[in-house]
Amino acid sequence: IPLLRRALAMSKRPLLLFASPWTAPAWMKSNGDVRGKGTLKGKAGDKYHKTWANYFIKFLDEYAKHNVTFWAVTAQNEPLAGLFTPPQAPTIAFTAAQQRDFIAQDLGPALARSPHRTRLLTLDDQRIHLPHWAKVVLGNATAARYVAGLAVHWYLDAIVPPGCSLEATHKLFPDHFLLYTEACTGFFMF
């Protein structure tokens, strides 16, 4: 919080912060551990999903107490990586359908009821998952009304041309923005 305050004070224009969760508490996960392959227990609409959605609101509440607000949150950082991640990495696995249902039944309504004007982003994973992820999540009218845009990572960009992923997704869902949220150079040695 002190570093965020310093950055906000030094900026000549407002900073738009976003947050992205890595994992839920172990008691909420199917594998009983914050690390490794595991999903949220149960299914969308149940006590685990509602409680996880409320964690987002509590997170926003606590930062707001320190005058730090978030422009956006993502529903999960690298939700498909949770299926392939090394056993020590903290994560939650979501398929596009699971994330759609979580957004439509739990996270979207929780954010809408909250005092926060924080936007919600979906995907927050590799571009190779587009446009499929967008079709599943944004193709559902209930989920789509809660989602402002798609968060995208660029690590595997060389595999899928932008026309097949970004452009195709934008043509299907022009009212939802696409935003690169995670990237680095030198990820692949070749």
Side-chain angles (χ1 to χ4, degrees):
I1 292 171
L3 289 175
L4 285 174
R5 283 188 176 156
R6 284 178 56 200
L8 291 165
M10 291 172 23
S11 179
K12 293 183 188 328
R13 57 187 174 155
L15 294 179
L16 301 177
L17 304 175
F18 81 93
S20 187
W22 279 52
T23 188
W27 67 268
M28 290 180 157
K29 287 185 56 191
S30 62
N31 66 346
D33 195 332
V34 296
R35 299 161 299 171
K37 297 174 179 90
T39 61
L40 282 179
K41 289 180 182 175
K43 60 183 183 174
D46 70 10
K47 67 179 182 179
Y48 297 104
H49 288 72
K50 296 240 179 275
T51 301
W52 184 230
N54 287 331
Y55 265 66
F56 283 74
I57 306 309
K58 292 290 186 185
F59 169 85
L60 296 170
D61 290 345
E62 291 304 313
Y63 273 91
K65 288 177 184 177
H66 298 278
N67 295 319
V68 176
T69 59
F70 286 83
W71 167 75
V73 294
T74 72
Q76 174 62 37
N77 179 65
E78 296 188 353
L80 287 175
L83 300 172
F84 311 108
T85 190
Q88 296 305 312
T91 187
I92 305 172
F94 278 98
T95 65
Q98 288 168 326
Q99 192 170 87
R100 172 200 63 212
D101 296 345
F102 173 57
I103 289 169
Q105 296 181 43
D106 306 297
L107 184 54
L111 278 170
R113 285 189 308 268
S114 81
H116 308 287
R117 299 294 49 117
T118 304
R119 290 166 177 82
L120 178 58
L121 309 180
T122 188
L123 184 58
D124 208 16
D125 210 329
Q126 307 306 318
R127 189 174 86 191
I128 61 172
H129 304 303
L130 294 175
H132 168 74
W133 199 277
K135 288 178 183 177
V136 172
V137 177
L138 300 179
N140 176 280
T142 303
R145 82 168 175 247
Y146 295 118
V147 175
L150 292 113
V152 183
H153 297 183
W154 79 353
Y155 302 109
L156 304 177
D157 275 8
I159 296 171
V160 177
C164 298
S165 55
L166 299 174
E167 187 178 342
T169 302
H170 177 67
K171 284 181 180 177
L172 290 168
F173 303 101
D175 295 332
H176 291 82
F177 61 81
L178 296 153
L179 176 69
Y180 273 115
T181 56
E182 185 178 318
C184 70
T185 58
F187 179 68
F188 289 116
M189 296 307 289
F190 50 91

